[in-house]
Amino acid sequence: MTLAFSQSARQRFDEIVARYPNRQAALLPVLHLAQQEFDHISPEVMQFVAEQLGVPPVKVQHVATFYTMYNKKPVGRFHVQVCTNIACHLTGGPEIFAHLKKKLGVANKGTTADDLFTLEEVECLAACGYSPAIQITDKKDRETPIFFRENLDSLPKVDALIDELRAKAKGGA
Amino acid sequence: MKTDVKILTAHLDDPAWHTLAGYERHGGYNALRKALKMTPDEIKAEVKAANLRGRGGAGFPAGIKWGFLPKETTKPIYLVINADEGEPGTFKDRLIMERNPHSLIEGCLIACWALRANTTYIYIRGELFSSIQRIERAIAEARAKGYIGKNVLGTGWTCEIHAHPGAGAYICGEETALIESLEGKAGQPRNKPPFPAIQGLFDCPTIVNNVETIAYVPWIIENGGQTFASFGTERNGGLKIYGLSGHVKRPGLWELPMGTTFSYLVNELGGGMRGAKPMKGLIPGGSSCPPLLPNELDTPMDFDAVKKVGTMLGTGCATVFEEGVCTVRLGARIAKFYEHESCGQCTPCREGTGWLHRNIEKLERGERLEGGIQLLDSICGRILGNTICALGDAAAMPIQGFLKKFGDEWQRHIDLGRCPL
């Protein structure tokens, strides 16, 4: 299959490339764009990005695998990121993470069978004043890709959040 | 000097402060108008007089850093903003980017004018989606209004500002790794010298400053460097945003004069401990800082005073933990973080951070540790100072600090063959 950017992504691509004196400098933002367009960064997507920027594919692969935010395989619609670093470590992050592993029936970085949730233990989310913090991205809502649920200080609140997302998906939203 | 002045948090009660209209309503961009009538040297002199120390953690005086640029150059000069906020425990730059983004934009414009730069890249941590959105929106608004672009406020001067997202790598908070990342490469730090001021982004002279540092520049230009300096202590000028998290009653962020004590932050503003358990310790400014004990909280929060008690002010965001917390378990979490974030370039860090983490985990599980807790200290010693960048040091220093302050508890893990807590 030959990959191609949509018209709006093509426009965004041109805007991004114009910001830098050379094309390789656009690699990180263009990989973000490609991930939005093609769901995840497969070897084909790396090849495509390499061609678009005139950068050797091996360099694209090096960058795509160095940074944690580029998904090399598909993730669920909701990417549930649970912080367990120091402030969250002290206020219940590890307990929430363990609870979610059980509730969703997945290991770290695992995706539920219905492709709805991917669970990941992440490093500090710069939300320590509201710890324990969870950040969730929704593939179908790119305009507001994040909803931060702060002060998730009890497991029932976490359960309610997951149920709410399930209901949202079921309702076709 | 005690002061009630607020700068970067002055109008947080205005829900529209993050918009251009909201920012202008409170006098926004007047400092830029004033700056454009000043010479670059006059601006640099004000920033120097302000004793503005780098707010990213190192505390290097911004005015002196600006002076490292070559006097004559045919190459473009770049300003790069380090908005890669990721030091565990730290959440202050996010507040500026999301609630007061135009202070950063205006600061970038003034700094570019002073540095004879025409381009700023704001490197924002990729995970901070809302910060990226707010900064991108602020740039677009400022461009539409003529503050950014080819003819800034009709002066004929060109200045561009671009937001650049990171993609998940703590190491990119290190300035040369950040530059590599901006160039579209893996974030692996460069050897210094050459320093970025001489050879930085795209091999051109580059100044890298933290978000909070640059966001203070407009106020300094409007009100004078000496006035700013007078709020703080002798060599630590002005105000700073301090954070508090962990086992306190009221975690949060407060803008305070530099040199305010930890005890004022924790007890007066944070309301003390959240429950009946007393404080066991405090990590002063992010996970790389060795911990302090409750009897050390009268230390003023400035770069020099905190250094005198054997740790670092870091980012000024403190994390408090209560009695009952196992410091070995906490230390293991910190060690795990640095193992995960080591870029892999230098052997002492790549191998040492993993070695450290595995052995602290062993200790917490009550397994036999050949060489005892001295082994941990020795691993730290082999990392410290032996790497290209400071990540190795950042991994070793907190563990050495925990050994120094809580060594008995760590030894008891060995003596009992289990965690005593």
Side-chain angles (χ1 to χ4, degrees):
Chain A
M1 190 186 83
T2 323
L3 295 171
F5 276 139
S6 64
Q7 203 183 341
S8 63
R10 172 60 58 190
Q11 197 184 340
R12 180 89 183 132
F13 173 85
D14 291 338
E15 281 168 20
I16 291 169
V17 169
R19 295 175 186 168
Y20 308 94
N22 68 54
R23 290 172 82 82
Q24 184 175 347
L27 184 49
L28 267 69
V30 166
L31 278 170
H32 281 302
L33 181 69
Q35 180 154 297
Q36 278 183 22
E37 282 284 287
F38 308 121
D39 184 78
H40 63 282
I41 306 294
S42 65
E44 293 74 32
V45 173
M46 292 183 205
Q47 180 71 37
F48 172 74
V49 168
E51 285 161 12
Q52 297 299 309
L53 292 174
V55 170
V58 66
K59 284 197 176 172
V60 175
Q61 190 190 4
H62 186 201
V63 166
T65 52
F66 183 85
Y67 297 94
T68 56
M69 287 180 72
Y70 301 125
N71 303 315
K72 267 64 77 182
K73 52 180 194 183
V75 296
R77 172 173 168 183
F78 300 108
H79 189 174
V80 182
Q81 303 147 51
V82 183
C83 175
T84 61
N85 214 310
I86 50 176
C88 295
H89 172 94
L90 295 168
T91 52
E95 290 74 18
I96 289 177
F97 183 61
H99 176 74
L100 280 173
K101 277 202 279 195
K102 215 160 39 171
K103 184 179 172 76
L104 298 174
V106 293
N108 187 24
K109 298 187 185 176
T111 301
T112 53
D114 58 5
D115 282 336
L116 216 46
F117 296 99
T118 296
L119 179 67
E120 188 173 358
E121 180 182 22
V122 296
E123 300 301 353
C124 185
L125 290 166
C128 319
Y130 328 100
S131 66
I134 299 180
Q135 176 163 271
I136 300 171
T137 46
D138 178 356
K139 276 190 198 172
K140 291 206 174 160
D141 189 1
R142 299 245 182 247
E143 282 303 300
T144 46
I146 279 308
F147 27 111
F148 229 115
R149 300 300 172 113
E150 292 156 353
N151 287 317
L152 280 164
D153 53 1
S154 66
L155 297 178
K157 281 195 207 167
V158 177
D159 286 341
L161 170 59
I162 295 295
D163 293 344
E164 197 183 303
L165 294 175
R166 274 213 177 101
K168 185 181 174 188
K170 212 173 179 181
Chain B
M1 183 177 126
K2 279 262 175 227
T3 176
D4 293 326
V5 170
K6 304 283 176 223
I7 300 173
L8 295 177
T9 60
H11 306 292
L12 284 181
D13 54 345
D14 182 347
W17 198 24
H18 65 279
T19 65
L20 181 61
Y23 187 68
E24 286 178 326
R25 189 158 59 234
H26 299 288
Y29 289 100
N30 286 342
L32 174 66
R33 290 189 175 85
K34 182 175 176 184
L36 291 174
K37 291 183 191 125
M38 295 165 71
T39 65
D41 284 343
E42 284 168 346
I43 294 171
K44 283 192 244 178
E46 289 300 333
V47 172
K48 237 182 194 169
N51 279 340
L52 176 64
R53 309 258 305 248
R55 301 290 199 251
F60 196 84
I64 294 178
K65 193 187 247 188
W66 287 10
F68 291 157
L69 284 174
K71 298 274 172 285
E72 301 284 332
T73 177
T74 52
K75 292 178 172 176
I77 293 167
Y78 290 105
L79 174 65
V80 172
I81 302 302
N82 187 342
D84 194 40
E85 182 159 70
E87 175 77 11
T90 305
F91 54 110
K92 66 178 182 70
D93 292 337
R94 184 198 265 271
L95 176 83
I96 299 169
M97 291 190 281
E98 293 176 16
R99 304 293 300 283
N100 186 9
H102 281 284
S103 67
L104 175 63
I105 304 299
E106 188 179 12
C108 290
L109 289 160
I110 296 170
C112 278
W113 178 252
L115 300 170
R116 300 180 196 278
N118 301 101
T119 310
T120 301
Y121 293 103
I122 304 177
Y123 185 103
I124 310 171
R125 189 166 161 214
E127 288 92 338
L128 306 185
F129 295 92
S130 358
S131 297
I132 295 172
Q133 279 183 353
R134 284 270 161 103
I135 289 290
E136 282 184 339
R137 204 169 301 157
I139 290 173
E141 283 179 314
R143 180 170 290 129
K145 194 77 187 275
Y147 294 123
I148 299 175
K150 286 217 182 320
N151 183 13
V152 176
L153 293 177
T155 55
W157 176 59
T158 294
C159 194
E160 284 298 336
I161 301 179
H162 305 292
H164 181 102
Y170 165 78
I171 187 60
C172 293
E174 196 279 342
E175 64 176 1
T176 61
L178 187 152
I179 287 171
E180 286 283 300
S181 184
L182 252 174
E183 293 182 355
K185 303 171 193 163
Q188 294 188 308
R190 297 176 181 174
N191 265 309
K192 293 189 268 193
F195 287 90
I198 304 298
Q199 195 180 339
L201 183 63
F202 308 123
D203 283 338
C204 297
T206 304
I207 293 295
V208 184
N209 281 137
N210 170 260
V211 171
E212 189 188 346
T213 313
I214 290 297
Y216 273 120
V217 168
W219 195 94
I220 289 168
I221 293 308
E222 237 189 319
N223 300 276
Q226 278 185 1
T227 312
F228 185 81
S230 72
F231 299 148
T233 54
E234 199 188 339
R235 291 172 54 229
N236 294 259
L239 307 181
K240 154 137 197 49
I241 300 181
Y242 292 96
L244 189 59
S245 67
H247 294 151
V248 290
K249 209 166 273 168
R250 287 189 300 271
L253 293 161
W254 291 271
E255 189 176 28
L256 305 166
M258 288 213 75
T260 305
T261 62
F262 284 107
S263 69
Y264 184 80
L265 176 71
V266 172
N267 296 317
E268 300 299 319
L269 300 171
M273 302 305 286
R274 64 172 183 179
K277 290 181 186 168
M279 185 193 297
K280 184 167 181 174
L282 170 152
I283 299 170
S287 60
S288 60
C289 307
L292 288 172
L293 295 173
N295 63 12
E296 296 174 296
L297 295 197
D298 287 335
T299 309
M301 296 187 289
D302 75 33
F303 291 102
D304 305 314
V306 180
K307 200 172 169 193
K308 272 191 203 139
V309 293
T311 178
M312 302 178 296
L313 178 62
T315 61
C317 290
T319 310
V320 171
F321 52 98
E322 63 192 15
E323 284 292 348
V325 167
C326 173
T327 56
V328 176
R329 194 167 164 239
L330 184 57
R333 184 61 187 88
I334 291 173
K336 179 184 170 186
F337 171 71
Y338 288 105
E339 179 189 13
H340 183 251
E341 299 300 337
S342 172
C343 83
Q345 196 174 205
C346 311
T347 311
C349 173
R350 182 187 63 238
E351 302 302 320
T353 51
W355 194 16
L356 199 54
H357 174 222
R358 288 190 300 277
N359 279 300
I360 299 173
E361 290 282 0
K362 261 189 175 175
L363 190 65
E364 175 62 1
R365 288 196 302 264
E367 288 172 30
R368 193 167 160 266
L369 203 61
E370 215 166 315
I373 60 171
Q374 291 76 16
L375 170 71
L376 303 174
D377 193 45
S378 139
I379 298 173
C380 292
R382 287 156 204 248
I383 301 173
L384 270 171
N386 290 329
T387 54
I388 290 175
C389 85
L391 190 141
D393 297 351
M397 287 184 302
I399 302 308
Q400 284 192 321
F402 277 106
L403 286 169
K404 196 170 158 197
K405 298 281 166 73
F406 302 101
D408 290 351
E409 182 174 290
W410 291 50
Q411 183 59 45
R412 279 183 70 207
H413 279 72
I414 293 188
D415 297 344
L416 295 172
R418 63 175 169 83
C419 175
L421 291 163

